[in-house]
Amino acid sequence: MGKDVEVGGHEYGAKDYQDPPPADLFDAEELTKWSFYRAIIAKFIATLLFLYITVLTVIGYKSQTDPNHSTDQCGGVGILGIAWAFGGMIFVLVYCTAGISGGHINPAVTFGLFLARKVTLPRAVLYIVAQCLGAICGCGLVKAFQKSYYNNYGGGANELADGYSKGTGLGAEIIGTFVLVYTVFSATNPKRNARDSHVPVLAPLPIGFAVFMVHLATIPITGTGINPARSFGAAVIYR
C-alpha cells in the first residue's frame, strides 16, 4: 500500500493508523460477557429517553399552536426547536453511551455498521431489538403521562404532509438517513482518529448536527424519520 500524502507536503507511512480487524459474523464468546448485555441495556435506555423527550417536544409544539386553544400561531418551539430537540438528544446520548455500546440509537446505523463488519450479527440483531423496544416504551411513557394530548396530536408519529407523493417522502427519508449514516462513519473513522486526536472527543457533535440539519429539511415533508426505531415506536403506540 502506498503512502498517504497530507496537504502541506507531510507524508505519513501506512502504519500511522490501524483499522480494527473485521468483526466475525458470529462470536460465541461475546455472548458470555457482561459488557455485551450492558451494551444492549444501554441501547434500550438511550432509545427510550430519546423518544420520550423528542415525542413530548413534538406534541407540546402541536398543542401550543392548536388554533382551538391558542391564537398565537408563532408560539411554541417551532420546527427549529423540534430539530434542536432531536439533534441535541442524539448529541447527549451518543456522548453518554458511545463508550458502552457505540452510541448507535438507530437501527439504520447499526445495520450499516454490521454491513461494514464493525459488529457481529447477534450484536446487531439484539441492538436493533433493544432500540425498537426502547422506542416503544419511550412513546408508551409519553402516552401514559399525557394521554389526551398524545391522542389529539398524532402521538408524534411520522406522516406524509399534504402535497407530497409517497415517492418524494421515501426519497427524503433515504437521503436523510444516508446523511446521518455517512456522518457516523466519517466521524468515527479510525484513520481520522489517529491523525486528529480531537476527533474522538467531538464525534457526537457532527452526528447531532447531522440529525438537526436533516430534521430542518424533512420535517415539512415526512415529519422526519431517518430512524426506524423512532418511526416504529411512535406508530405502534399511537395506532
Side-chain angles (χ1 to χ4, degrees):
M1 185 174 69
K3 293 183 177 180
D4 295 323
V5 180
E6 293 287 314
V7 176
H10 299 291
E11 290 189 349
Y12 296 87
K15 294 184 178 180
D16 66 329
Y17 76 96
Q18 183 176 3
D19 282 309
D24 295 330
L25 183 63
F26 183 87
D27 183 5
E29 184 178 353
E30 74 175 355
L31 299 177
T32 64
K33 296 180 179 179
W34 162 241
S35 59
F36 176 71
Y37 299 99
R38 181 180 62 182
I40 294 171
I41 295 171
K43 283 281 182 286
F44 173 82
I45 295 175
T47 315
L48 183 154
L49 294 174
F50 176 61
L51 267 293
Y52 176 75
I53 296 297
T54 55
V55 170
L56 271 179
T57 303
V58 172
I59 294 175
Y61 165 68
K62 289 184 176 181
S63 67
Q64 291 167 339
T65 56
D66 186 348
N68 295 324
H69 298 94
S70 174
T71 58
D72 182 11
Q73 293 303 301
C74 295
V77 295
I79 291 179
L80 183 63
I82 294 173
W84 271 121
F86 278 88
M89 278 303 293
I90 287 295
F91 168 75
V92 170
L93 293 172
V94 170
Y95 180 83
C96 291
T97 63
I100 302 173
S101 63
H104 307 174
I105 320 171
N106 186 329
V109 173
T110 300
F111 183 66
L113 291 172
F114 168 69
L115 293 180
R117 301 284 303 276
K118 304 294 185 183
V119 295
T120 63
L121 178 60
R123 185 179 290 268
V125 170
L126 291 177
Y127 275 7
I128 292 173
V129 170
Q131 289 160 355
C132 291
L133 290 177
I136 292 172
C137 292
C139 292
L141 286 177
V142 177
K143 186 173 183 178
F145 294 153
Q146 298 193 16
K147 186 172 182 179
S148 61
Y149 285 98
Y150 189 91
N151 292 329
N152 290 339
Y153 299 112
N158 295 118
E159 57 183 359
L160 190 65
D162 294 336
Y164 294 98
S165 67
K166 292 182 180 179
T168 300
L170 178 62
E173 289 296 322
I174 291 174
I175 295 172
T177 306
F178 172 79
V179 170
L180 172 59
V181 177
Y182 177 80
T183 303
V184 170
F185 272 80
S186 178
T188 59
N189 189 326
K191 181 176 181 179
R192 182 175 244 181
N193 290 352
R195 295 182 181 174
D196 304 314
S197 60
H198 61 283
V199 168
V201 178
L202 296 178
L205 189 60
I207 295 171
F209 262 102
V211 173
F212 168 70
M213 298 302 294
V214 171
H215 274 76
L216 285 182
T218 59
I219 283 176
I221 303 175
T222 62
T224 308
I226 69 169
N227 185 332
R230 177 260 187 273
S231 300
F232 178 73
V236 166
I237 297 300
Y238 180 63
R239 302 301 177 189

